[in-house]
Amino acid sequence: MSQTEDRSAFDWEARFQNDDTPWERPGLHPAAEAWLARGVLARGQSVVIPGCGRCAEVAAFARAGLKVTAADLSDTAIAWQKAKIRDEQLSCEYFEGDILRSDDQRWCPDVPVDRVYDQTFLCAIHPRLREQYAYALANLWLKSGGQLLALFMQKDERGGPPFGCSLDAMRDLFSDTDWIWPDPNEFQAWPHPNLNGKPELAAVLTRR
Ligand SMILES: C[S@@+](CC[C@H](N)C(=O)[O-])C[C@H]1O[C@@H](n2cnc3c(N)ncnc32)[C@H](O)[C@@H]1O
């Protein structure tokens, strides 16, 4: 099986083509709104949005003056983001393809970025790919002091996507060696408007 086939076992492109996208929110994630309001996401910063799909945050962050890179496997999702950015006369960079490749076609920003915004990407990828993602975040994508803005999907049932991202599993994946975790009192749970109201735990992790 090729790397791309491995990543695409779930047919995301078909889901977008059929408008079968229950993970989509009607507007900005309230955690993203709060991060913009508090300056956790601020003008001039660079931000990568892996598995952006058709989320509203790509245009919203570009509108707020961030340098956005939107990445997705799905042609339909990237075409949707391009049209939105063009209509609003904003600017954005795109990566269309498998952002988790680890071979010589691996994606990497030209310069490590300030922020990575993960909205239902970590819970969408198969758990066997998590180590690869965590490695890329810590060693290739984020600058030292850069931040992962995470929304950890809480789900007890097995299987997925979405695959549950329990705090214990996240603590193992994003270890204290590489990451500074916020005080647990700072985690905020946001129920998803669909997906049976599963809560997403918002946490800002800082790359050491
Ligand atoms: C659950 S959707 C979330 C989309 C968007 N973040 C949102 O919240 O609406 C997961 C997205 O990740 C993308 N994706 C999954 N695996 C990927 C990979 N290896 N590289 C790039 N994109 C990927 C899918 O195409 C899909 O758009």
Side-chain angles (χ1 to χ4, degrees):
M1 192 184 275
S2 76
Q3 276 220 337
T4 303
E5 283 163 347
D6 190 31
R7 301 297 189 282
S8 314
F10 189 84
D11 193 346
W12 297 102
E13 176 59 20
R15 298 295 289 266
F16 285 109
Q17 285 185 12
N18 297 325
D19 266 330
D20 182 10
T21 53
W23 58 81
E24 289 185 347
R25 289 174 169 269
L28 280 194
H29 196 296
E33 279 180 350
W35 285 326
L36 282 167
R38 284 179 14 220
V40 176
L41 288 160
R43 177 170 295 279
Q45 289 174 344
S46 48
V47 60
V48 173
I49 309 184
C52 59
R54 299 186 294 197
C55 73
E57 282 72 9
V58 171
F61 295 172
R63 219 178 288 127
L66 285 99
K67 290 173 249 171
V68 182
T69 302
D72 209 287
L73 287 170
S74 158
D75 299 352
T76 302
I78 291 291
W80 188 95
Q81 294 290 2
K82 283 183 175 169
K84 174 96 181 135
I85 291 287
R86 198 171 45 242
D87 285 356
E88 290 201 38
Q89 299 185 314
L90 297 167
S91 72
C92 178
E93 290 192 9
Y94 305 94
F95 174 75
E96 192 175 325
D98 176 356
I99 201 165
L100 297 179
R101 290 185 78 118
S102 54
D103 58 10
D104 57 355
Q105 290 181 49
R106 177 203 290 276
W107 179 82
C108 210
D110 294 338
V111 179
V113 299
D114 298 300
R115 302 282 181 267
V116 172
Y117 175 75
D118 185 313
Q119 177 175 308
T120 53
F121 178 64
L122 177 57
C123 69
I125 61 173
H126 195 281
R128 71 172 171 269
L129 299 172
R130 287 180 175 177
E131 291 283 352
Q132 229 163 288
Y133 179 41
Y135 177 86
L137 282 170
N139 299 291
L140 304 168
W141 298 3
L142 273 172
K143 59 173 65 161
S144 174
Q147 292 182 315
L148 169 64
L149 311 189
L151 294 159
F152 296 131
M153 178 71 69
Q154 303 303 293
K155 177 192 171 197
D156 295 329
E157 310 93 297
R158 293 174 67 84
F163 296 95
C165 301
S166 73
L167 266 189
D168 285 348
M170 296 302 100
R171 286 254 180 214
D172 286 347
L173 187 64
F174 301 109
S175 75
D176 287 340
T177 315
D178 287 336
W179 298 93
I180 301 166
W181 277 74
D183 188 290
N185 295 327
E186 289 176 33
F187 298 147
Q188 187 162 4
W190 299 98
H192 197 284
N194 307 310
L195 307 178
N196 298 323
K198 289 185 181 50
E200 292 171 289
L201 222 47
V204 177
L205 276 58
T206 304
R207 174 69 176 105
R208 289 188 189 277

